[in-house]
PDB file of all heavy atoms in Angstrom:
ATOM      1  N   PRO A   1      11.313  11.892   6.619  1.00  0.00           N
ATOM      2  CA  PRO A   1      12.197  10.854   7.146  1.00  0.00           C
ATOM      3  C   PRO A   1      11.457   9.553   7.449  1.00  0.00           C
ATOM      4  O   PRO A   1      12.041   8.486   7.388  1.00  0.00           O
ATOM      5  CB  PRO A   1      12.809  11.464   8.415  1.00  0.00           C
ATOM      6  CG  PRO A   1      12.683  12.943   8.159  1.00  0.00           C
ATOM      7  CD  PRO A   1      11.419  13.158   7.379  1.00  0.00           C
ATOM      8  N   PHE A   2      10.193   9.660   7.855  1.00  0.00           N
ATOM      9  CA  PHE A   2       9.414   8.473   8.315  1.00  0.00           C
ATOM     10  C   PHE A   2       8.088   8.343   7.550  1.00  0.00           C
ATOM     11  O   PHE A   2       7.225   7.554   7.964  1.00  0.00           O
ATOM     12  CB  PHE A   2       9.174   8.536   9.773  1.00  0.00           C
ATOM     13  CG  PHE A   2      10.388   8.696  10.633  1.00  0.00           C
ATOM     14  CD1 PHE A   2      10.703   9.878  11.251  1.00  0.00           C
ATOM     15  CD2 PHE A   2      11.281   7.624  10.807  1.00  0.00           C
ATOM     16  CE1 PHE A   2      11.807  10.050  12.009  1.00  0.00           C
ATOM     17  CE2 PHE A   2      12.442   7.735  11.602  1.00  0.00           C
ATOM     18  CZ  PHE A   2      12.704   9.014  12.155  1.00  0.00           C
ATOM     19  N   THR A   3       7.929   9.098   6.486  1.00  0.00           N
ATOM     20  CA  THR A   3       6.654   9.110   5.754  1.00  0.00           C
ATOM     21  C   THR A   3       6.881   8.768   4.291  1.00  0.00           C
ATOM     22  O   THR A   3       7.665   9.359   3.606  1.00  0.00           O
ATOM     23  CB  THR A   3       5.921  10.465   5.877  1.00  0.00           C
ATOM     24  OG1 THR A   3       5.762  10.743   7.233  1.00  0.00           O
ATOM     25  CG2 THR A   3       4.600  10.447   5.162  1.00  0.00           C
ATOM     26  N   THR A   4       6.080   7.745   3.774  1.00  0.00           N
ATOM     27  CA  THR A   4       6.180   7.334   2.420  1.00  0.00           C
ATOM     28  C   THR A   4       4.752   7.198   1.811  1.00  0.00           C
ATOM     29  O   THR A   4       3.900   6.625   2.468  1.00  0.00           O
ATOM     30  CB  THR A   4       6.907   6.012   2.295  1.00  0.00           C
ATOM     31  OG1 THR A   4       8.233   6.122   2.845  1.00  0.00           O
ATOM     32  CG2 THR A   4       7.011   5.608   0.810  1.00  0.00           C
ATOM     33  N   VAL A   5       4.591   7.718   0.621  1.00  0.00           N
ATOM     34  CA  VAL A   5       3.365   7.499  -0.153  1.00  0.00           C
ATOM     35  C   VAL A   5       3.702   6.551  -1.323  1.00  0.00           C
ATOM     36  O   VAL A   5       4.627   6.855  -2.066  1.00  0.00           O
ATOM     37  CB  VAL A   5       2.789   8.824  -0.652  1.00  0.00           C
ATOM     38  CG1 VAL A   5       1.503   8.548  -1.463  1.00  0.00           C
ATOM     39  CG2 VAL A   5       2.492   9.763   0.499  1.00  0.00           C
ATOM     40  N   ASP A   6       2.991   5.446  -1.442  1.00  0.00           N
ATOM     41  CA  ASP A   6       3.263   4.425  -2.426  1.00  0.00           C
ATOM     42  C   ASP A   6       2.039   4.142  -3.254  1.00  0.00           C
ATOM     43  O   ASP A   6       0.961   3.799  -2.698  1.00  0.00           O
ATOM     44  CB  ASP A   6       3.731   3.135  -1.645  1.00  0.00           C
ATOM     45  CG  ASP A   6       4.391   2.108  -2.512  1.00  0.00           C
ATOM     46  OD1 ASP A   6       4.511   2.361  -3.754  1.00  0.00           O
ATOM     47  OD2 ASP A   6       4.788   1.090  -1.957  1.00  0.00           O
ATOM     48  N   VAL A   7       2.157   4.279  -4.533  1.00  0.00           N
ATOM     49  CA  VAL A   7       1.046   3.980  -5.457  1.00  0.00           C
ATOM     50  C   VAL A   7       1.492   2.878  -6.394  1.00  0.00           C
ATOM     51  O   VAL A   7       2.494   2.987  -7.064  1.00  0.00           O
ATOM     52  CB  VAL A   7       0.606   5.234  -6.241  1.00  0.00           C
ATOM     53  CG1 VAL A   7      -0.536   4.931  -7.217  1.00  0.00           C
ATOM     54  CG2 VAL A   7       0.225   6.378  -5.304  1.00  0.00           C
ATOM     55  N   VAL A   8       0.648   1.822  -6.502  1.00  0.00           N
ATOM     56  CA  VAL A   8       0.984   0.649  -7.354  1.00  0.00           C
ATOM     57  C   VAL A   8      -0.246   0.318  -8.223  1.00  0.00           C
ATOM     58  O   VAL A   8      -1.348   0.236  -7.772  1.00  0.00           O
ATOM     59  CB  VAL A   8       1.326  -0.565  -6.490  1.00  0.00           C
ATOM     60  CG1 VAL A   8       1.525  -1.826  -7.319  1.00  0.00           C
ATOM     61  CG2 VAL A   8       2.533  -0.298  -5.658  1.00  0.00           C
ATOM     62  N   VAL A   9       0.059   0.136  -9.538  1.00  0.00           N
ATOM     63  CA  VAL A   9      -0.938  -0.406 -10.434  1.00  0.00           C
ATOM     64  C   VAL A   9      -0.375  -1.669 -11.022  1.00  0.00           C
ATOM     65  O   VAL A   9       0.706  -1.728 -11.641  1.00  0.00           O
ATOM     66  CB  VAL A   9      -1.231   0.554 -11.565  1.00  0.00           C
ATOM     67  CG1 VAL A   9      -2.196   0.014 -12.599  1.00  0.00           C
ATOM     68  CG2 VAL A   9      -1.711   1.874 -11.011  1.00  0.00           C
ATOM     69  N   ARG A  10      -1.135  -2.764 -10.819  1.00  0.00           N
ATOM     70  CA  ARG A  10      -0.672  -4.119 -11.191  1.00  0.00           C
ATOM     71  C   ARG A  10      -1.738  -4.864 -11.991  1.00  0.00           C
ATOM     72  O   ARG A  10      -2.717  -5.292 -11.445  1.00  0.00           O
ATOM     73  CB  ARG A  10      -0.321  -4.939  -9.957  1.00  0.00           C
ATOM     74  CG  ARG A  10       0.138  -6.366 -10.303  1.00  0.00           C
ATOM     75  CD  ARG A  10      -0.039  -7.255  -9.155  1.00  0.00           C
ATOM     76  NE  ARG A  10       0.281  -8.656  -9.496  1.00  0.00           N
ATOM     77  CZ  ARG A  10      -0.052  -9.717  -8.759  1.00  0.00           C
ATOM     78  NH1 ARG A  10      -0.741  -9.573  -7.618  1.00  0.00           N
ATOM     79  NH2 ARG A  10       0.231 -10.925  -9.193  1.00  0.00           N
ATOM     80  N   PRO A  11      -1.492  -5.072 -13.317  1.00  0.00           N
ATOM     81  CA  PRO A  11      -2.369  -5.996 -14.078  1.00  0.00           C
ATOM     82  C   PRO A  11      -1.856  -7.406 -13.842  1.00  0.00           C
ATOM     83  O   PRO A  11      -0.686  -7.638 -13.686  1.00  0.00           O
ATOM     84  CB  PRO A  11      -2.187  -5.561 -15.499  1.00  0.00           C
ATOM     85  CG  PRO A  11      -0.794  -4.978 -15.573  1.00  0.00           C
ATOM     86  CD  PRO A  11      -0.533  -4.339 -14.160  1.00  0.00           C
ATOM     87  N   ALA A  12      -2.806  -8.371 -13.786  1.00  0.00           N
ATOM     88  CA  ALA A  12      -2.394  -9.727 -13.493  1.00  0.00           C
ATOM     89  C   ALA A  12      -3.232 -10.677 -14.327  1.00  0.00           C
ATOM     90  O   ALA A  12      -4.408 -10.434 -14.612  1.00  0.00           O
ATOM     91  CB  ALA A  12      -2.543 -10.086 -12.027  1.00  0.00           C
ATOM     92  N   THR A  13      -2.595 -11.758 -14.717  1.00  0.00           N
ATOM     93  CA  THR A  13      -3.300 -12.873 -15.425  1.00  0.00           C
ATOM     94  C   THR A  13      -3.293 -14.081 -14.433  1.00  0.00           C
ATOM     95  O   THR A  13      -2.221 -14.667 -14.214  1.00  0.00           O
ATOM     96  CB  THR A  13      -2.622 -13.244 -16.753  1.00  0.00           C
ATOM     97  OG1 THR A  13      -2.608 -12.105 -17.587  1.00  0.00           O
ATOM     98  CG2 THR A  13      -3.350 -14.355 -17.409  1.00  0.00           C
ATOM     99  N   THR A  14      -4.457 -14.361 -13.911  1.00  0.00           N
ATOM    100  CA  THR A  14      -4.554 -15.444 -12.878  1.00  0.00           C
ATOM    101  C   THR A  14      -5.418 -16.586 -13.401  1.00  0.00           C
ATOM    102  O   THR A  14      -6.021 -16.450 -14.444  1.00  0.00           O
ATOM    103  CB  THR A  14      -5.176 -14.880 -11.564  1.00  0.00           C
ATOM    104  OG1 THR A  14      -6.621 -14.738 -11.805  1.00  0.00           O
ATOM    105  CG2 THR A  14      -4.602 -13.548 -11.183  1.00  0.00           C
ATOM    106  N   PRO A  15      -5.368 -17.730 -12.722  1.00  0.00           N
ATOM    107  CA  PRO A  15      -6.243 -18.848 -13.165  1.00  0.00           C
ATOM    108  C   PRO A  15      -7.714 -18.587 -13.251  1.00  0.00           C
ATOM    109  O   PRO A  15      -8.448 -19.283 -13.850  1.00  0.00           O
ATOM    110  CB  PRO A  15      -5.891 -19.933 -12.150  1.00  0.00           C
ATOM    111  CG  PRO A  15      -4.551 -19.620 -11.629  1.00  0.00           C
ATOM    112  CD  PRO A  15      -4.506 -18.119 -11.625  1.00  0.00           C
ATOM    113  N   VAL A  16      -8.144 -17.443 -12.604  1.00  0.00           N
ATOM    114  CA  VAL A  16      -9.602 -17.133 -12.600  1.00  0.00           C
ATOM    115  C   VAL A  16      -9.846 -15.890 -13.409  1.00  0.00           C
ATOM    116  O   VAL A  16     -10.890 -15.250 -13.290  1.00  0.00           O
ATOM    117  CB  VAL A  16     -10.109 -16.982 -11.119  1.00  0.00           C
ATOM    118  CG1 VAL A  16     -10.147 -18.325 -10.490  1.00  0.00           C
ATOM    119  CG2 VAL A  16      -9.267 -16.004 -10.360  1.00  0.00           C
ATOM    120  N   GLY A  17      -8.903 -15.498 -14.279  1.00  0.00           N
ATOM    121  CA  GLY A  17      -9.117 -14.340 -15.153  1.00  0.00           C
ATOM    122  C   GLY A  17      -8.145 -13.247 -14.947  1.00  0.00           C
ATOM    123  O   GLY A  17      -7.286 -13.259 -14.056  1.00  0.00           O
ATOM    124  N   ARG A  18      -8.202 -12.210 -15.856  1.00  0.00           N
ATOM    125  CA  ARG A  18      -7.370 -11.083 -15.799  1.00  0.00           C
ATOM    126  C   ARG A  18      -7.942  -9.997 -14.817  1.00  0.00           C
ATOM    127  O   ARG A  18      -9.141  -9.787 -14.818  1.00  0.00           O
ATOM    128  CB  ARG A  18      -7.168 -10.440 -17.140  1.00  0.00           C
ATOM    129  CG  ARG A  18      -6.445 -11.367 -18.110  1.00  0.00           C
ATOM    130  CD  ARG A  18      -6.201 -10.671 -19.420  1.00  0.00           C
ATOM    131  NE  ARG A  18      -5.410 -11.516 -20.348  1.00  0.00           N
ATOM    132  CZ  ARG A  18      -4.967 -11.117 -21.525  1.00  0.00           C
ATOM    133  NH1 ARG A  18      -5.260  -9.919 -22.013  1.00  0.00           N
ATOM    134  NH2 ARG A  18      -4.266 -11.955 -22.305  1.00  0.00           N
ATOM    135  N   THR A  19      -7.108  -9.447 -14.003  1.00  0.00           N
ATOM    136  CA  THR A  19      -7.538  -8.500 -13.011  1.00  0.00           C
ATOM    137  C   THR A  19      -6.621  -7.276 -12.977  1.00  0.00           C
ATOM    138  O   THR A  19      -5.502  -7.282 -13.481  1.00  0.00           O
ATOM    139  CB  THR A  19      -7.541  -9.161 -11.591  1.00  0.00           C
ATOM    140  OG1 THR A  19      -6.219  -9.467 -11.234  1.00  0.00           O
ATOM    141  CG2 THR A  19      -8.459 -10.354 -11.584  1.00  0.00           C
ATOM    142  N   ILE A  20      -7.065  -6.254 -12.318  1.00  0.00           N
ATOM    143  CA  ILE A  20      -6.315  -5.061 -12.063  1.00  0.00           C
ATOM    144  C   ILE A  20      -6.268  -4.761 -10.572  1.00  0.00           C
ATOM    145  O   ILE A  20      -7.292  -4.778  -9.912  1.00  0.00           O
ATOM    146  CB  ILE A  20      -6.857  -3.802 -12.825  1.00  0.00           C
ATOM    147  CG1 ILE A  20      -6.688  -3.976 -14.330  1.00  0.00           C
ATOM    148  CG2 ILE A  20      -6.170  -2.564 -12.325  1.00  0.00           C
ATOM    149  CD1 ILE A  20      -5.300  -3.885 -14.805  1.00  0.00           C
ATOM    150  N   THR A  21      -5.055  -4.551 -10.058  1.00  0.00           N
ATOM    151  CA  THR A  21      -4.893  -4.023  -8.671  1.00  0.00           C
ATOM    152  C   THR A  21      -4.337  -2.634  -8.786  1.00  0.00           C
ATOM    153  O   THR A  21      -3.295  -2.406  -9.383  1.00  0.00           O
ATOM    154  CB  THR A  21      -3.967  -4.916  -7.887  1.00  0.00           C
ATOM    155  OG1 THR A  21      -4.538  -6.228  -7.676  1.00  0.00           O
ATOM    156  CG2 THR A  21      -3.609  -4.332  -6.519  1.00  0.00           C
ATOM    157  N   ALA A  22      -5.042  -1.674  -8.206  1.00  0.00           N
ATOM    158  CA  ALA A  22      -4.620  -0.262  -8.256  1.00  0.00           C
ATOM    159  C   ALA A  22      -4.913   0.298  -6.850  1.00  0.00           C
ATOM    160  O   ALA A  22      -6.050   0.468  -6.467  1.00  0.00           O
ATOM    161  CB  ALA A  22      -5.325   0.548  -9.331  1.00  0.00           C
ATOM    162  N   ALA A  23      -3.865   0.636  -6.117  1.00  0.00           N
ATOM    163  CA  ALA A  23      -4.039   1.078  -4.752  1.00  0.00           C
ATOM    164  C   ALA A  23      -2.967   2.051  -4.300  1.00  0.00           C
ATOM    165  O   ALA A  23      -1.867   2.064  -4.909  1.00  0.00           O
ATOM    166  CB  ALA A  23      -4.104  -0.093  -3.793  1.00  0.00           C
ATOM    167  N   ALA A  24      -3.231   2.839  -3.295  1.00  0.00           N
ATOM    168  CA  ALA A  24      -2.313   3.802  -2.765  1.00  0.00           C
ATOM    169  C   ALA A  24      -2.162   3.542  -1.320  1.00  0.00           C
ATOM    170  O   ALA A  24      -3.155   3.311  -0.551  1.00  0.00           O
ATOM    171  CB  ALA A  24      -2.757   5.217  -2.998  1.00  0.00           C
ATOM    172  N   ARG A  25      -0.923   3.651  -0.794  1.00  0.00           N
ATOM    173  CA  ARG A  25      -0.620   3.355   0.610  1.00  0.00           C
ATOM    174  C   ARG A  25       0.207   4.500   1.225  1.00  0.00           C
ATOM    175  O   ARG A  25       1.089   5.063   0.540  1.00  0.00           O
ATOM    176  CB  ARG A  25       0.170   2.063   0.784  1.00  0.00           C
ATOM    177  CG  ARG A  25       0.580   1.632   2.181  1.00  0.00           C
ATOM    178  CD  ARG A  25       1.339   0.347   2.151  1.00  0.00           C
ATOM    179  NE  ARG A  25       1.539  -0.226   3.439  1.00  0.00           N
ATOM    180  CZ  ARG A  25       2.706  -0.197   4.073  1.00  0.00           C
ATOM    181  NH1 ARG A  25       3.778   0.500   3.553  1.00  0.00           N
ATOM    182  NH2 ARG A  25       2.826  -0.709   5.262  1.00  0.00           N
ATOM    183  N   VAL A  26      -0.091   4.872   2.440  1.00  0.00           N
ATOM    184  CA  VAL A  26       0.651   5.833   3.181  1.00  0.00           C
ATOM    185  C   VAL A  26       1.165   5.159   4.445  1.00  0.00           C
ATOM    186  O   VAL A  26       0.391   4.503   5.222  1.00  0.00           O
ATOM    187  CB  VAL A  26      -0.227   7.045   3.542  1.00  0.00           C
ATOM    188  CG1 VAL A  26       0.590   8.023   4.407  1.00  0.00           C
ATOM    189  CG2 VAL A  26      -0.797   7.730   2.306  1.00  0.00           C
ATOM    190  N   SER A  27       2.439   5.370   4.768  1.00  0.00           N
ATOM    191  CA  SER A  27       3.013   4.848   5.951  1.00  0.00           C
ATOM    192  C   SER A  27       3.770   6.006   6.629  1.00  0.00           C
ATOM    193  O   SER A  27       4.432   6.758   5.972  1.00  0.00           O
ATOM    194  CB  SER A  27       3.940   3.685   5.664  1.00  0.00           C
ATOM    195  OG  SER A  27       5.010   4.070   4.825  1.00  0.00           O
ATOM    196  N   THR A  28       3.681   6.049   8.002  1.00  0.00           N
ATOM    197  CA  THR A  28       4.341   7.128   8.652  1.00  0.00           C
ATOM    198  C   THR A  28       4.605   6.674  10.108  1.00  0.00           C
ATOM    199  O   THR A  28       4.187   5.592  10.500  1.00  0.00           O
ATOM    200  CB  THR A  28       3.488   8.394   8.701  1.00  0.00           C
ATOM    201  OG1 THR A  28       4.238   9.517   9.252  1.00  0.00           O
ATOM    202  CG2 THR A  28       2.228   8.206   9.535  1.00  0.00           C
ATOM    203  N   GLN A  29       5.297   7.471  10.845  1.00  0.00           N
ATOM    204  CA  GLN A  29       5.590   7.235  12.284  1.00  0.00           C
ATOM    205  C   GLN A  29       5.110   8.387  13.099  1.00  0.00           C
ATOM    206  O   GLN A  29       5.467   9.554  12.793  1.00  0.00           O
ATOM    207  CB  GLN A  29       7.062   6.964  12.495  1.00  0.00           C
ATOM    208  CG  GLN A  29       7.400   6.594  13.962  1.00  0.00           C
ATOM    209  CD  GLN A  29       8.829   6.134  14.094  1.00  0.00           C
ATOM    210  OE1 GLN A  29       9.353   5.458  13.211  1.00  0.00           O
ATOM    211  NE2 GLN A  29       9.429   6.482  15.242  1.00  0.00           N
ATOM    212  N   VAL A  30       4.359   8.127  14.145  1.00  0.00           N
ATOM    213  CA  VAL A  30       3.872   9.146  15.074  1.00  0.00           C
ATOM    214  C   VAL A  30       4.258   8.736  16.410  1.00  0.00           C
ATOM    215  O   VAL A  30       3.765   7.674  16.955  1.00  0.00           O
ATOM    216  CB  VAL A  30       2.321   9.374  14.942  1.00  0.00           C
ATOM    217  CG1 VAL A  30       1.889  10.399  15.973  1.00  0.00           C
ATOM    218  CG2 VAL A  30       1.934   9.749  13.519  1.00  0.00           C
ATOM    219  N   ALA A  31       5.147   9.518  17.083  1.00  0.00           N
ATOM    220  CA  ALA A  31       5.749   9.147  18.340  1.00  0.00           C
ATOM    221  C   ALA A  31       6.326   7.716  18.281  1.00  0.00           C
ATOM    222  O   ALA A  31       7.173   7.458  17.412  1.00  0.00           O
ATOM    223  CB  ALA A  31       4.676   9.225  19.432  1.00  0.00           C
ATOM    224  N   ARG A  32       5.837   6.771  19.050  1.00  0.00           N
ATOM    225  CA  ARG A  32       6.313   5.400  18.981  1.00  0.00           C
ATOM    226  C   ARG A  32       5.486   4.498  18.132  1.00  0.00           C
ATOM    227  O   ARG A  32       5.627   3.264  18.166  1.00  0.00           O
ATOM    228  CB  ARG A  32       6.499   4.806  20.385  1.00  0.00           C
ATOM    229  CG  ARG A  32       7.474   5.628  21.282  1.00  0.00           C
ATOM    230  CD  ARG A  32       7.570   4.945  22.653  1.00  0.00           C
ATOM    231  NE  ARG A  32       8.494   5.661  23.473  1.00  0.00           N
ATOM    232  CZ  ARG A  32       8.855   5.299  24.735  1.00  0.00           C
ATOM    233  NH1 ARG A  32       8.245   4.190  25.246  1.00  0.00           N
ATOM    234  NH2 ARG A  32       9.735   5.943  25.447  1.00  0.00           N
ATOM    235  N   TRP A  33       4.534   5.043  17.436  1.00  0.00           N
ATOM    236  CA  TRP A  33       3.606   4.232  16.592  1.00  0.00           C
ATOM    237  C   TRP A  33       4.044   4.296  15.154  1.00  0.00           C
ATOM    238  O   TRP A  33       4.257   5.361  14.561  1.00  0.00           O
ATOM    239  CB  TRP A  33       2.222   4.748  16.755  1.00  0.00           C
ATOM    240  CG  TRP A  33       1.643   4.611  18.067  1.00  0.00           C
ATOM    241  CD1 TRP A  33       1.803   5.546  19.138  1.00  0.00           C
ATOM    242  CD2 TRP A  33       0.817   3.617  18.649  1.00  0.00           C
ATOM    243  NE1 TRP A  33       1.150   5.134  20.228  1.00  0.00           N
ATOM    244  CE2 TRP A  33       0.519   3.960  19.947  1.00  0.00           C
ATOM    245  CE3 TRP A  33       0.317   2.459  18.099  1.00  0.00           C
ATOM    246  CZ2 TRP A  33      -0.274   3.127  20.797  1.00  0.00           C
ATOM    247  CZ3 TRP A  33      -0.474   1.666  18.881  1.00  0.00           C
ATOM    248  CH2 TRP A  33      -0.761   1.987  20.209  1.00  0.00           C
ATOM    249  N   GLU A  34       4.168   3.101  14.523  1.00  0.00           N
ATOM    250  CA  GLU A  34       4.334   3.043  13.048  1.00  0.00           C
ATOM    251  C   GLU A  34       2.951   2.722  12.473  1.00  0.00           C
ATOM    252  O   GLU A  34       2.397   1.652  12.748  1.00  0.00           O
ATOM    253  CB  GLU A  34       5.367   2.008  12.688  1.00  0.00           C
ATOM    254  CG  GLU A  34       6.782   2.302  13.202  1.00  0.00           C
ATOM    255  CD  GLU A  34       7.803   1.240  12.803  1.00  0.00           C
ATOM    256  OE1 GLU A  34       7.480   0.447  11.859  1.00  0.00           O
ATOM    257  OE2 GLU A  34       8.819   1.129  13.461  1.00  0.00           O
ATOM    258  N   LEU A  35       2.479   3.644  11.611  1.00  0.00           N
ATOM    259  CA  LEU A  35       1.058   3.501  11.111  1.00  0.00           C
ATOM    260  C   LEU A  35       1.098   3.396   9.598  1.00  0.00           C
ATOM    261  O   LEU A  35       1.946   3.980   8.897  1.00  0.00           O
ATOM    262  CB  LEU A  35       0.262   4.700  11.525  1.00  0.00           C
ATOM    263  CG  LEU A  35       0.233   5.047  13.018  1.00  0.00           C
ATOM    264  CD1 LEU A  35      -0.523   6.348  13.274  1.00  0.00           C
ATOM    265  CD2 LEU A  35      -0.389   3.891  13.829  1.00  0.00           C
ATOM    266  N   SER A  36       0.132   2.686   9.060  1.00  0.00           N
ATOM    267  CA  SER A  36       0.039   2.600   7.598  1.00  0.00           C
ATOM    268  C   SER A  36      -1.445   2.274   7.244  1.00  0.00           C
ATOM    269  O   SER A  36      -2.193   1.808   8.033  1.00  0.00           O
ATOM    270  CB  SER A  36       0.946   1.437   7.001  1.00  0.00           C
ATOM    271  OG  SER A  36       0.469   0.183   7.433  1.00  0.00           O
ATOM    272  N   ALA A  37      -1.790   2.738   6.015  1.00  0.00           N
ATOM    273  CA  ALA A  37      -3.104   2.506   5.517  1.00  0.00           C
ATOM    274  C   ALA A  37      -3.092   2.465   3.999  1.00  0.00           C
ATOM    275  O   ALA A  37      -2.328   3.243   3.431  1.00  0.00           O
ATOM    276  CB  ALA A  37      -4.105   3.552   6.048  1.00  0.00           C
ATOM    277  N   TRP A  38      -3.858   1.596   3.367  1.00  0.00           N
ATOM    278  CA  TRP A  38      -3.995   1.647   1.944  1.00  0.00           C
ATOM    279  C   TRP A  38      -5.425   1.420   1.514  1.00  0.00           C
ATOM    280  O   TRP A  38      -6.252   0.906   2.281  1.00  0.00           O
ATOM    281  CB  TRP A  38      -3.076   0.640   1.242  1.00  0.00           C
ATOM    282  CG  TRP A  38      -3.274  -0.847   1.559  1.00  0.00           C
ATOM    283  CD1 TRP A  38      -2.575  -1.620   2.355  1.00  0.00           C
ATOM    284  CD2 TRP A  38      -4.288  -1.670   0.986  1.00  0.00           C
ATOM    285  NE1 TRP A  38      -3.045  -2.929   2.365  1.00  0.00           N
ATOM    286  CE2 TRP A  38      -4.084  -3.001   1.516  1.00  0.00           C
ATOM    287  CE3 TRP A  38      -5.375  -1.506   0.062  1.00  0.00           C
ATOM    288  CZ2 TRP A  38      -4.905  -4.075   1.185  1.00  0.00           C
ATOM    289  CZ3 TRP A  38      -6.167  -2.569  -0.239  1.00  0.00           C
ATOM    290  CH2 TRP A  38      -5.962  -3.814   0.300  1.00  0.00           C
ATOM    291  N   ALA A  39      -5.743   1.881   0.300  1.00  0.00           N
ATOM    292  CA  ALA A  39      -7.114   1.728  -0.245  1.00  0.00           C
ATOM    293  C   ALA A  39      -7.028   1.695  -1.742  1.00  0.00           C
ATOM    294  O   ALA A  39      -6.110   2.288  -2.367  1.00  0.00           O
ATOM    295  CB  ALA A  39      -8.034   2.908   0.209  1.00  0.00           C
ATOM    296  N   GLY A  40      -7.992   1.037  -2.330  1.00  0.00           N
ATOM    297  CA  GLY A  40      -8.010   0.928  -3.810  1.00  0.00           C
ATOM    298  C   GLY A  40      -8.780  -0.319  -4.255  1.00  0.00           C
ATOM    299  O   GLY A  40      -9.708  -0.790  -3.588  1.00  0.00           O
ATOM    300  N   ALA A  41      -8.372  -0.814  -5.449  1.00  0.00           N
ATOM    301  CA  ALA A  41      -9.007  -2.036  -5.973  1.00  0.00           C
ATOM    302  C   ALA A  41      -7.989  -3.118  -5.973  1.00  0.00           C
ATOM    303  O   ALA A  41      -6.889  -2.983  -6.442  1.00  0.00           O
ATOM    304  CB  ALA A  41      -9.466  -1.721  -7.405  1.00  0.00           C
TER     305      ALA A  41
END
């Protein structure tokens, strides 16, 4: 009910070159705290 795992892979063409963003994020709720963290490139 309060926990989501989100994985995104995004290729991009920017003014400074082509890049890849690939990261995973977890968000959840513990008591009265809403917490999230992500890691990747």
Side-chain angles (χ1 to χ4, degrees):
F2 305 105
T3 302
T4 302
V5 179
D6 195 358
V7 179
V8 175
V9 178
R10 176 204 175 194
T13 301
T14 75
V16 291
R18 295 185 176 183
T19 64
I20 291 289
T21 293
R25 180 179 189 259
V26 177
S27 59
T28 189
Q29 181 171 326
V30 178
R32 296 183 180 181
W33 297 84
E34 296 179 20
L35 308 173
S36 67
W38 63 256

